[in-house]
Amino acid sequence: MILGHFSSCPDMKYQTKAGAPEKQRTACLVLAVFERRKLSVPAQAADAACDGALAQILARGDIDGKSGQTLLLQAIEGIAADRVLLVGCGKQKSFDARQYLKAQATAAAALGALGAKDCLNTLTLLEISGRDKAWAVQHAVLAMDAQFYRFDELKSEKAPARTLKTVQLAISNKSKALEQALSLGVATAAGVALSMDLGNRPGNLCTPTDLAEQGLKLANQYKTIDCRVLEEKEMEKLGMGALLSVSRGSREPAKLIVMEYKGGDASATPIALVGKGLTFDAGGISIKPSARMEEMKFDMCGGATVFGVFQALAESDLPLHVVGVVPSSENLPDGAANKPGDVVTSMAGLTIEVINTDAEGRLILCDALTYTQREYKPRVLIDMATLTGACVVALGEHATGLFANNQELAQNLLDAGEQSCDRAWQMPLWEDYQAQIKSTVADIANVGGPGAGAITAACFLHRFTKQANWAHLDIAGTAWTSKKYSTGRPVPLLMQYLAQQAK
Ligand code: BES
Ligand code: MN
Ligand code: ZN
């Protein structure tokens, strides 16, 4: 069942706006205040226009400037805006990218609750350590849009419609670079929203068939995207014994969704993205405990990332050739399901002993990775997967686990994560760990003992990616939050990386 796409996409309009902010007619002027009661430069200009009324209000002590604070003022004489929203930005001395994103999110949360239909946001004029104005514009869109996002398609009572329709981002002068940053931000935000929608949908409404329809829908919607779906019969012919073993325990047939984005020279060797699309992971015969099992609807967030990135690519028209592959299935217990100890044969020919049926992600990924390498010979191969609970233990919810067999690729992804504040942290892929996934009867076992679970999972995948410049992103800790909402990560990281590659 497909519930209508981008149903939760905030649909906000973002524009840049040059000129003195205090003179602009707008329903709400957003101004930054630093600790302690320090007006930002744009706020000082506004203060001068209203004969010091802002400074006076600050002196009364209602807002200190701490991060997260806001104060709404009405009808300040001398300022053209109907309202002024003061936003606390923390210490000016340490004002960095993270503080900036927090301030933008705070502003958006306050704005979204107002009756204002538009606003002029001057936070984009602030000096941010280590970042330029193009970054400020691009990430204002991402930080604000994430606040405007709602997932209420399954509630009978919908969230009330937001009055705010247009966000103007203040800039000093119009430039091509700033307009490009704006459109990259808008495109990426749309991709994040799509990824979040898919992630938030429950397993019964987001099956492998639904994900396949999503791919076809994107191909319908954008001239630059092609999509074809491989059915189980074709996968059998290709020898994908590992992938197909996982869906045997489910009534939902597996799908291999293959998309191509041709925004540039289509004959150029592509960058390939492969995302784990496990629409529900009960563990199979090695069944999971029931506590928090419902969160395993998010086990397709690697796949959701591929769809999100594809939408963002098409919206931004980046001149690139990108392949996206999403192996999709359910992992349920059943009489036909994988049993512990079963041996399956992968498309690459390696035999795999399924010690634990809950280590299914690597089973569907290894065949998808082999297929992608054989079919496309990509110059770079990146997979994203909610692969291991061990990665959550290691890194928590702040960093995605990064593994790579090519250090230049690893560094590029780390930099993209740092730049987009959607961070990854590298972990080792040393040969030493390979000993843990030895099998007595097969070429390789699908689990590697209690220690280093995220690493042995990556080492397993590495056995299938020796021919490529390959990186693996374990997003088990970052793809959704403890509040059980999808984050849309790592769409921002990947879009940052891809935009860099397009230069
Ligand atoms: N999808 C899970 C990984 C996961 C678990 C992500 C919890 C986020 C939170 C994966 O398929 C899985 O079950 N992995 C096992 C591997 C183990 C059997 C070696 C795990 O992490 O427990
Ligand atoms: Mn599992
Ligand atoms: Zn899983």
Side-chain angles (χ1 to χ4, degrees):
M1 173 178 153
I2 287 276
L3 290 148
H5 299 276
F6 328 119
S7 57
S8 316
C9 190
D11 208 25
M12 188 68 66
K13 206 164 159 189
Y14 297 92
Q15 305 167 339
T16 57
K17 183 79 185 168
E22 66 279 6
K23 294 190 183 134
Q24 305 291 334
R25 299 205 168 281
T26 170
C28 188
L29 177 64
V30 179
L31 297 171
V33 179
F34 292 105
E35 279 177 51
R36 309 200 34 185
R37 303 182 194 170
K38 235 174 111 186
L39 292 168
S40 59
V41 174
Q44 285 168 18
D47 189 49
C50 61
D51 285 333
L54 295 180
Q56 246 178 44
I57 288 165
L58 283 192
R60 289 185 201 137
D62 294 341
I63 181 167
D64 182 69
K66 282 201 172 69
S67 179
Q69 289 181 328
T70 59
L71 183 65
L72 183 68
L73 311 170
Q74 300 281 351
I76 304 279
E77 206 175 323
I79 295 178
D82 299 339
R83 311 167 180 76
V84 170
L85 180 70
L86 300 180
V87 177
C89 291
K91 295 203 172 68
Q92 187 167 22
K93 245 181 144 172
S94 62
F95 192 68
D96 62 3
R98 304 198 144 257
Q99 254 172 282
Y100 173 77
L101 295 180
K102 170 100 194 284
Q104 287 292 16
T106 303
L111 287 163
L114 295 181
K117 67 178 196 322
D118 62 359
C119 68
L120 176 60
N121 180 339
T122 67
L123 303 183
T124 39
L125 295 172
L126 301 175
E127 291 296 329
I128 310 164
S129 77
R131 298 294 196 276
D132 62 15
K133 293 291 181 272
W135 185 91
V137 166
Q138 185 185 335
H139 288 82
V141 177
L142 280 166
M144 295 186 82
D145 220 57
Q147 286 299 313
F148 298 142
Y149 176 85
R150 294 277 174 278
F151 186 74
D152 60 5
E153 64 185 27
L154 302 174
K155 302 247 192 208
S156 13
E157 209 162 308
K158 310 293 178 201
R162 217 180 301 92
T163 313
L164 191 70
K165 295 280 182 289
T166 307
V167 172
Q168 297 194 312
L169 301 170
I171 57 171
S172 315
N173 295 298
K174 286 254 178 208
S175 76
K176 209 178 146 202
L178 290 177
E179 289 319 296
Q180 276 174 352
L182 180 79
S183 58
L184 189 56
V186 169
T188 305
V192 166
L194 172 60
S195 171
M196 290 199 285
D197 274 352
L198 296 173
N200 288 330
R201 281 184 191 151
N204 63 327
L205 304 179
C206 180
T207 63
T209 304
D210 291 321
L211 285 186
E213 273 180 42
Q214 179 62 61
L216 296 169
K217 185 113 186 175
L218 282 174
N220 248 325
Q221 207 177 351
Y222 298 104
K223 267 207 213 86
T224 45
I225 295 179
D226 291 335
C227 174
R228 61 204 163 80
V229 178
L230 274 67
E231 306 293 335
E232 290 191 341
K233 263 217 173 83
E234 294 158 272
M235 292 190 255
E236 245 159 65
K237 271 194 219 138
L238 290 165
M240 296 184 169
L243 196 164
L244 288 169
S245 76
V246 175
S247 59
R248 272 209 318 269
S250 160
R251 293 177 197 190
E252 295 289 341
K255 305 276 172 179
L256 186 68
I257 306 152
V258 183
M259 294 181 287
E260 236 179 298
Y261 168 75
K262 294 172 184 163
D265 177 6
S267 65
T269 51
I271 294 171
L273 306 176
V274 177
K276 174 179 175 184
L278 222 294
T279 58
F280 188 77
D281 180 14
I285 298 298
S286 315
I287 197 162
K288 286 181 182 296
S290 40
R292 292 177 61 185
M293 199 204 272
E294 74 283 3
E295 290 185 28
M296 283 299 117
K297 72 172 183 178
F298 291 115
D299 212 15
M300 35 56 72
C301 282
T305 300
V306 176
F307 293 116
V309 166
F310 265 61
Q311 170 155 13
L313 282 170
E315 287 287 333
S316 60
D317 258 324
L318 285 185
L320 287 172
H321 183 198
V322 182
V323 169
V325 176
V326 180
S328 184
S329 85
E330 287 186 331
N331 186 25
L332 296 173
D334 173 271
N338 271 333
K339 301 177 292 298
D342 282 2
V343 174
V344 300
T345 303
S346 63
M347 181 181 178
L350 281 179
T351 56
I352 303 165
E353 185 182 9
V354 183
I355 298 285
N356 188 319
T357 67
D358 197 10
E360 84 298 336
R362 59 200 83 179
L363 295 178
I364 67 170
L365 282 168
C366 70
D367 281 345
L369 288 165
T370 300
Y371 175 82
T372 307
Q373 288 169 92
R374 285 198 192 159
E375 195 75 9
Y376 295 100
K377 305 202 168 27
R379 65 183 159 99
V380 162
L381 175 63
I382 305 168
D383 79 71
M384 292 77 62
T386 49
L387 202 63
T388 65
C391 192
V392 191
V393 174
L395 296 173
E397 64 177 30
H398 299 295
T400 290
L402 166 69
F403 302 83
N405 64 7
N406 176 299
Q407 198 50 34
E408 188 188 329
L409 172 59
Q411 196 55 52
N412 285 343
L413 290 169
L414 288 170
D415 291 347
E418 208 43 69
Q419 195 62 22
S420 60
C421 294
D422 178 6
R423 291 195 283 197
W425 190 255
Q426 193 173 4
M427 306 220 268
L429 251 192
W430 300 324
E431 274 302 308
D432 310 51
Y433 292 98
Q434 285 290 347
Q436 282 179 243
I437 50 174
K438 277 199 171 133
S439 159
T440 49
V441 296
D443 296 332
I444 183 173
N446 81 328
V447 297
I455 300 171
T456 52
C459 285
F460 179 98
L461 296 178
H462 191 200
R463 295 288 282 268
F464 299 86
T465 56
K466 294 267 166 96
Q467 266 62 262
N469 293 318
W470 164 74
H472 158 60
L473 296 170
D474 193 331
I475 59 171
T478 51
W480 74 94
T481 68
S482 51
K483 296 209 170 106
K484 295 197 260 192
Y485 281 113
S486 167
T487 60
R489 291 177 72 181
V491 173
L493 181 160
L494 288 168
M495 281 307 291
Q496 182 72 35
Y497 169 77
L498 291 168
Q500 201 61 37
Q501 292 299 305
K503 276 189 183 157

